[in-house]
Amino acid sequence: MNDPIGRQGRVTQNLTDRSPKLAGMYKSALRILDSEPEPGCEAARVAIVCHCMRELMNGLPTALADTAVPRPNPSSGALLSKLPGLLAENPDLDLNADQDVVPVPKAVARHLHKLVGARAREDGRNRMNAAAVVTGGTDTEHPVINQWNDAYKFFLGWTHLDRNHEGDRELPSDESIRAVIRVVEDVIEVRTTAFFENVRTLQDLLNEINATDEGSG
């Protein structure tokens, strides 16, 4: 971090007040981005920065929003991991059968139903949590949410070596990464400033009430 008392310093302090772990992710991303990569470690440097930012974005709904939607349990990932074993238990099932309708055992059909349902809930959850963080409300169609989601996709894509890193694709520049980080910083500043202003307003109101009570006593 190169501006401890500037914008990044404010974001760090506001995050620390709400979640020291998330503040650590943010500071780690900035520290690594400010450092020069060792030869051969350029891709790893980008992946680590983006991983920290992705984890920060994942944690912000719980830290900043009052209406964060919890992850479905079991998750789609957990259900998907069980599917190969379930299919192995039904060796007669041929999903590649050349026919319009393929009979599926009840156990497999129910599992697929759970899997699709969990994935749908996760997609809805992600957008609802984005709305809660970015706008403080429930409008999942707000235009700014698309910018937030684009930032998340950017970090997610460069976190995994098997995605954007494939084919020796040119790594994003430090400035382009900082530009996406600023999207997240903007949201944190707006949401935390509003939070602390509300806290101060509430405290002023309580002080006024207490003063009135003491005067009447």
Side-chain angles (χ1 to χ4, degrees), residues 51-66:
H51 171 74
C52 288
M53 291 304 302
R54 184 193 66 170
E55 289 300 299
L56 170 61
M57 295 182 76
N58 281 337
L60 283 177
T62 301
L64 301 184
D66 297 326

PDB file of all heavy atoms in Angstrom, residues 51-66:
ATOM      1  N   HIS A  51      -7.057 -13.508  -6.469  1.00  0.00           N
ATOM      2  CA  HIS A  51      -7.657 -14.395  -5.469  1.00  0.00           C
ATOM      3  C   HIS A  51      -8.039 -13.598  -4.221  1.00  0.00           C
ATOM      4  O   HIS A  51      -9.140 -13.768  -3.675  1.00  0.00           O
ATOM      5  CB  HIS A  51      -6.691 -15.512  -5.091  1.00  0.00           C
ATOM      6  CG  HIS A  51      -7.148 -16.334  -3.926  1.00  0.00           C
ATOM      7  ND1 HIS A  51      -8.163 -17.264  -4.017  1.00  0.00           N
ATOM      8  CD2 HIS A  51      -6.747 -16.336  -2.621  1.00  0.00           C
ATOM      9  CE1 HIS A  51      -8.370 -17.808  -2.836  1.00  0.00           C
ATOM     10  NE2 HIS A  51      -7.522 -17.271  -1.976  1.00  0.00           N
ATOM     11  N   CYS A  52      -7.148 -12.734  -3.762  1.00  0.00           N
ATOM     12  CA  CYS A  52      -7.443 -11.924  -2.570  1.00  0.00           C
ATOM     13  C   CYS A  52      -8.658 -11.033  -2.808  1.00  0.00           C
ATOM     14  O   CYS A  52      -9.529 -10.905  -1.938  1.00  0.00           O
ATOM     15  CB  CYS A  52      -6.232 -11.070  -2.213  1.00  0.00           C
ATOM     16  SG  CYS A  52      -4.832 -11.983  -1.521  1.00  0.00           S
ATOM     17  N   MET A  53      -8.721 -10.428  -3.992  1.00  0.00           N
ATOM     18  CA  MET A  53      -9.841  -9.538  -4.284  1.00  0.00           C
ATOM     19  C   MET A  53     -11.146 -10.312  -4.430  1.00  0.00           C
ATOM     20  O   MET A  53     -12.212  -9.841  -4.012  1.00  0.00           O
ATOM     21  CB  MET A  53      -9.552  -8.736  -5.549  1.00  0.00           C
ATOM     22  CG  MET A  53      -8.445  -7.703  -5.390  1.00  0.00           C
ATOM     23  SD  MET A  53      -8.736  -6.527  -4.028  1.00  0.00           S
ATOM     24  CE  MET A  53     -10.319  -5.818  -4.519  1.00  0.00           C
ATOM     25  N   ARG A  54     -11.075 -11.497  -5.004  1.00  0.00           N
ATOM     26  CA  ARG A  54     -12.284 -12.315  -5.119  1.00  0.00           C
ATOM     27  C   ARG A  54     -12.794 -12.705  -3.734  1.00  0.00           C
ATOM     28  O   ARG A  54     -14.001 -12.628  -3.460  1.00  0.00           O
ATOM     29  CB  ARG A  54     -11.998 -13.576  -5.930  1.00  0.00           C
ATOM     30  CG  ARG A  54     -13.238 -14.440  -6.165  1.00  0.00           C
ATOM     31  CD  ARG A  54     -12.869 -15.804  -6.681  1.00  0.00           C
ATOM     32  NE  ARG A  54     -12.131 -16.580  -5.692  1.00  0.00           N
ATOM     33  CZ  ARG A  54     -11.851 -17.877  -5.812  1.00  0.00           C
ATOM     34  NH1 ARG A  54     -12.220 -18.531  -6.890  1.00  0.00           N
ATOM     35  NH2 ARG A  54     -11.178 -18.519  -4.884  1.00  0.00           N
ATOM     36  N   GLU A  55     -11.897 -13.107  -2.841  1.00  0.00           N
ATOM     37  CA  GLU A  55     -12.300 -13.463  -1.483  1.00  0.00           C
ATOM     38  C   GLU A  55     -12.874 -12.250  -0.750  1.00  0.00           C
ATOM     39  O   GLU A  55     -13.827 -12.380   0.024  1.00  0.00           O
ATOM     40  CB  GLU A  55     -11.108 -14.027  -0.714  1.00  0.00           C
ATOM     41  CG  GLU A  55     -10.667 -15.411  -1.181  1.00  0.00           C
ATOM     42  CD  GLU A  55     -11.781 -16.432  -1.045  1.00  0.00           C
ATOM     43  OE1 GLU A  55     -12.250 -16.669   0.085  1.00  0.00           O
ATOM     44  OE2 GLU A  55     -12.204 -16.991  -2.083  1.00  0.00           O
ATOM     45  N   LEU A  56     -12.301 -11.085  -1.001  1.00  0.00           N
ATOM     46  CA  LEU A  56     -12.837  -9.862  -0.400  1.00  0.00           C
ATOM     47  C   LEU A  56     -14.262  -9.624  -0.863  1.00  0.00           C
ATOM     48  O   LEU A  56     -15.160  -9.374  -0.048  1.00  0.00           O
ATOM     49  CB  LEU A  56     -11.947  -8.675  -0.781  1.00  0.00           C
ATOM     50  CG  LEU A  56     -12.491  -7.280  -0.445  1.00  0.00           C
ATOM     51  CD1 LEU A  56     -12.706  -7.133   1.056  1.00  0.00           C
ATOM     52  CD2 LEU A  56     -11.535  -6.205  -0.964  1.00  0.00           C
ATOM     53  N   MET A  57     -14.496  -9.733  -2.169  1.00  0.00           N
ATOM     54  CA  MET A  57     -15.834  -9.507  -2.696  1.00  0.00           C
ATOM     55  C   MET A  57     -16.818 -10.548  -2.182  1.00  0.00           C
ATOM     56  O   MET A  57     -17.984 -10.232  -1.903  1.00  0.00           O
ATOM     57  CB  MET A  57     -15.801  -9.508  -4.226  1.00  0.00           C
ATOM     58  CG  MET A  57     -14.998  -8.355  -4.821  1.00  0.00           C
ATOM     59  SD  MET A  57     -15.020  -8.327  -6.636  1.00  0.00           S
ATOM     60  CE  MET A  57     -16.676  -7.681  -6.953  1.00  0.00           C
ATOM     61  N   ASN A  58     -16.367 -11.792  -2.040  1.00  0.00           N
ATOM     62  CA  ASN A  58     -17.242 -12.843  -1.509  1.00  0.00           C
ATOM     63  C   ASN A  58     -17.663 -12.559  -0.078  1.00  0.00           C
ATOM     64  O   ASN A  58     -18.771 -12.907   0.341  1.00  0.00           O
ATOM     65  CB  ASN A  58     -16.526 -14.198  -1.560  1.00  0.00           C
ATOM     66  CG  ASN A  58     -16.546 -14.824  -2.950  1.00  0.00           C
ATOM     67  OD1 ASN A  58     -17.410 -14.506  -3.764  1.00  0.00           O
ATOM     68  ND2 ASN A  58     -15.596 -15.705  -3.221  1.00  0.00           N
ATOM     69  N   GLY A  59     -16.766 -11.937   0.692  1.00  0.00           N
ATOM     70  CA  GLY A  59     -17.053 -11.709   2.103  1.00  0.00           C
ATOM     71  C   GLY A  59     -17.782 -10.421   2.410  1.00  0.00           C
ATOM     72  O   GLY A  59     -18.324 -10.266   3.507  1.00  0.00           O
ATOM     73  N   LEU A  60     -17.823  -9.497   1.448  1.00  0.00           N
ATOM     74  CA  LEU A  60     -18.434  -8.198   1.724  1.00  0.00           C
ATOM     75  C   LEU A  60     -19.929  -8.245   2.045  1.00  0.00           C
ATOM     76  O   LEU A  60     -20.388  -7.452   2.878  1.00  0.00           O
ATOM     77  CB  LEU A  60     -18.190  -7.251   0.539  1.00  0.00           C
ATOM     78  CG  LEU A  60     -16.776  -6.672   0.463  1.00  0.00           C
ATOM     79  CD1 LEU A  60     -16.618  -5.818  -0.786  1.00  0.00           C
ATOM     80  CD2 LEU A  60     -16.448  -5.849   1.705  1.00  0.00           C
ATOM     81  N   PRO A  61     -20.732  -9.118   1.425  1.00  0.00           N
ATOM     82  CA  PRO A  61     -22.150  -9.139   1.797  1.00  0.00           C
ATOM     83  C   PRO A  61     -22.368  -9.363   3.288  1.00  0.00           C
ATOM     84  O   PRO A  61     -23.204  -8.698   3.915  1.00  0.00           O
ATOM     85  CB  PRO A  61     -22.716 -10.300   0.966  1.00  0.00           C
ATOM     86  CG  PRO A  61     -21.841 -10.340  -0.235  1.00  0.00           C
ATOM     87  CD  PRO A  61     -20.463 -10.020   0.279  1.00  0.00           C
ATOM     88  N   THR A  62     -21.641 -10.286   3.872  1.00  0.00           N
ATOM     89  CA  THR A  62     -21.793 -10.553   5.307  1.00  0.00           C
ATOM     90  C   THR A  62     -21.295  -9.384   6.139  1.00  0.00           C
ATOM     91  O   THR A  62     -21.875  -9.043   7.186  1.00  0.00           O
ATOM     92  CB  THR A  62     -21.033 -11.829   5.701  1.00  0.00           C
ATOM     93  OG1 THR A  62     -21.544 -12.936   4.947  1.00  0.00           O
ATOM     94  CG2 THR A  62     -21.192 -12.123   7.183  1.00  0.00           C
ATOM     95  N   ALA A  63     -20.212  -8.735   5.675  1.00  0.00           N
ATOM     96  CA  ALA A  63     -19.606  -7.653   6.450  1.00  0.00           C
ATOM     97  C   ALA A  63     -20.353  -6.333   6.314  1.00  0.00           C
ATOM     98  O   ALA A  63     -20.409  -5.549   7.268  1.00  0.00           O
ATOM     99  CB  ALA A  63     -18.148  -7.463   6.028  1.00  0.00           C
ATOM    100  N   LEU A  64     -20.939  -6.074   5.159  1.00  0.00           N
ATOM    101  CA  LEU A  64     -21.514  -4.759   4.894  1.00  0.00           C
ATOM    102  C   LEU A  64     -23.028  -4.729   4.767  1.00  0.00           C
ATOM    103  O   LEU A  64     -23.634  -3.678   4.949  1.00  0.00           O
ATOM    104  CB  LEU A  64     -20.912  -4.167   3.613  1.00  0.00           C
ATOM    105  CG  LEU A  64     -19.398  -3.961   3.566  1.00  0.00           C
ATOM    106  CD1 LEU A  64     -19.011  -3.277   2.260  1.00  0.00           C
ATOM    107  CD2 LEU A  64     -18.920  -3.147   4.761  1.00  0.00           C
ATOM    108  N   ALA A  65     -23.631  -5.843   4.403  1.00  0.00           N
ATOM    109  CA  ALA A  65     -25.064  -5.849   4.126  1.00  0.00           C
ATOM    110  C   ALA A  65     -25.855  -6.453   5.284  1.00  0.00           C
ATOM    111  O   ALA A  65     -25.383  -7.355   5.964  1.00  0.00           O
ATOM    112  CB  ALA A  65     -25.350  -6.625   2.846  1.00  0.00           C
ATOM    113  N   ASP A  66     -27.055  -5.934   5.476  1.00  0.00           N
ATOM    114  CA  ASP A  66     -27.924  -6.446   6.539  1.00  0.00           C
ATOM    115  C   ASP A  66     -28.776  -7.614   6.064  1.00  0.00           C
ATOM    116  O   ASP A  66     -29.402  -8.294   6.868  1.00  0.00           O
ATOM    117  CB  ASP A  66     -28.860  -5.331   7.037  1.00  0.00           C
ATOM    118  CG  ASP A  66     -28.093  -4.170   7.660  1.00  0.00           C
ATOM    119  OD1 ASP A  66     -27.044  -4.439   8.286  1.00  0.00           O
ATOM    120  OD2 ASP A  66     -28.534  -3.020   7.507  1.00  0.00           O
TER     121      ASP A  66
END
